[in-house]
Amino acid sequence: MTLNVVGARRRYLMCRPTHFAVSYKINPWMDPTAPYDTELAISQWTRLRETFVSLGHEVEEIEPLPGLPDMVFAANGATVVDGTVLAVQFRDPERADEGPAYRSWFERAGYAVHEAKFVNEGEGDLMLAGDVMLAGTGFRTTHAAHARAQEVLGRPVITLQLVDPRFYHLDTALCVLSGSDGVGPAKIAYLPEAFSPGSQAVLRRLFPDAVIASVADAEVLGLNAVSDGSTVVLPVQASGLTAALRERGYRTIGVDMSELRKAGGGPKCCTLELRPGGGADS
């Protein structure tokens, strides 16, 4: 089976991991007693950024702040739809100061920014898929935040219950392959085992032709991928998912994010999509 998919130019926000560290544990991937290499994390992040630029995408950068080692995971900094920004509120105090930092960046850039009001970890759990928002809950973003997202962003929200703590954000268990820009029909890849039975049934109904990932590929954060509708940038270790995507007609580019995975992040965690409709450059 093949797809005639054409990637569109995207605009992303990223944060250089200048202060990357694994100094606390707020997810199962983190081990503060294990060694980490900040320079290697920077090198892997730089390769990811260069990949996006080589694909014709625009990359904005936010200044990393000392004492916020997870600020590199820009996807958690906001949700941006049609130029409207829904700010974030982190569950864990270790990340609390990231929210105001990202909000300030958007305000300076001229975006309309709306208060989170509830625990909401941005595109980690709120993913645009065509005409709807797929919204994860169970570990971080609260169910109440889903209603807030619908009111602010004006898109119907589909709640999905996450049940495996390894896949604590929706973007570790599901990737929007096309439609992440809100244009055209959405296609996804996902790991069924990461969701409750009811949520699995919803995903089967909405996306009967979805790419089904294996646990092995999900365990290397293979689903924490970035797609422009044509090319999927994903962890190089996710060999099975890479083959499945190629069978569907997608071009794939493998990147090594193994050092950042020590904090629970991959390509998508490092990448916040700036969907147009507002902002200084829109």
Side-chain angles (χ1 to χ4, degrees):
M1 177 181 179
T2 60
L3 293 174
N4 293 318
V5 287
V6 178
R9 186 171 183 264
R10 305 296 175 94
R11 189 164 172 241
Y12 298 132
L13 179 63
M14 300 182 71
C15 181
R16 187 177 187 271
T18 304
H19 308 291
F20 178 77
V22 184
S23 54
Y24 49 75
K25 183 177 179 67
I26 60 172
N27 68 55
W29 303 88
M30 304 177 95
D31 179 1
T33 68
Y36 62 86
D37 186 334
T38 301
E39 291 304 314
L40 179 56
I42 292 171
S43 175
Q44 292 178 349
W45 178 90
T46 300
R47 167 61 179 152
L48 177 65
R49 186 191 186 284
E50 291 172 348
T51 298
F52 292 145
V53 172
S54 74
L55 291 169
H57 304 312
E58 181 181 355
V59 177
E60 299 278 354
E61 289 189 41
I62 183 174
E63 186 71 20
L65 298 180
L68 298 178
D70 284 343
M71 195 171 167
V72 59
F73 301 130
N76 302 144
T79 306
V80 186
V81 176
D82 300 325
T84 297
V85 176
L86 177 60
V88 299
Q89 179 180 320
F90 286 94
R91 181 198 67 175
D92 298 293
E94 291 88 346
R95 299 194 68 183
D97 289 341
E98 294 177 42
Y102 276 94
R103 177 170 186 151
S104 294
W105 187 92
F106 281 105
E107 289 174 341
R108 290 194 302 271
Y111 286 82
V113 182
H114 297 261
E115 183 184 359
K117 294 190 177 180
F118 308 98
V119 173
N120 150 28
E121 300 200 351
E123 278 197 340
D125 279 321
L126 299 172
M127 305 176 72
L128 187 61
D131 292 330
V132 305
M133 298 291 301
L134 301 179
T137 192
F139 297 103
R140 298 291 184 87
T141 299
T142 65
H143 188 265
H146 295 182
R148 175 67 174 159
Q150 182 168 280
E151 286 300 309
V152 169
L153 302 174
R155 300 294 180 106
V157 170
I158 306 296
T159 291
L160 299 169
Q161 185 76 30
L162 297 164
V163 297
D164 188 325
R166 294 174 299 173
F167 310 115
Y168 55 94
H169 277 151
L170 184 62
D171 69 359
T172 65
L174 184 150
C175 173
V176 179
L177 298 172
S178 64
S180 72
D181 56 354
V183 178
K187 297 185 181 298
I188 70 167
Y190 73 101
L191 175 70
E193 295 92 331
F195 298 91
S196 69
S199 293
Q200 290 183 42
V202 168
L203 289 169
R204 286 195 301 269
R205 181 178 293 272
L206 290 176
F207 305 102
D209 63 343
V211 175
I212 303 301
S214 69
V215 172
D217 283 331
E219 286 178 335
V220 293
L221 294 183
L223 287 161
N224 195 250
V226 179
S227 175
D228 62 12
S230 175
T231 300
V232 184
V233 180
L234 76 165
V236 68
Q237 295 86 358
S239 56
L241 182 57
T242 295
L245 291 170
R246 288 178 178 173
E247 287 178 5
R248 298 291 187 99
Y250 292 96
R251 175 191 180 193
T252 64
I253 298 177
V255 291
D256 184 4
M257 304 295 286
S258 55
E259 200 62 24
L260 288 155
R261 190 167 70 239
K262 292 178 180 179
K268 176 56 191 165
C269 285
C270 294
T271 312
L272 175 60
E273 187 162 352
L274 304 176
R275 301 176 182 87
D281 299 323
S282 300

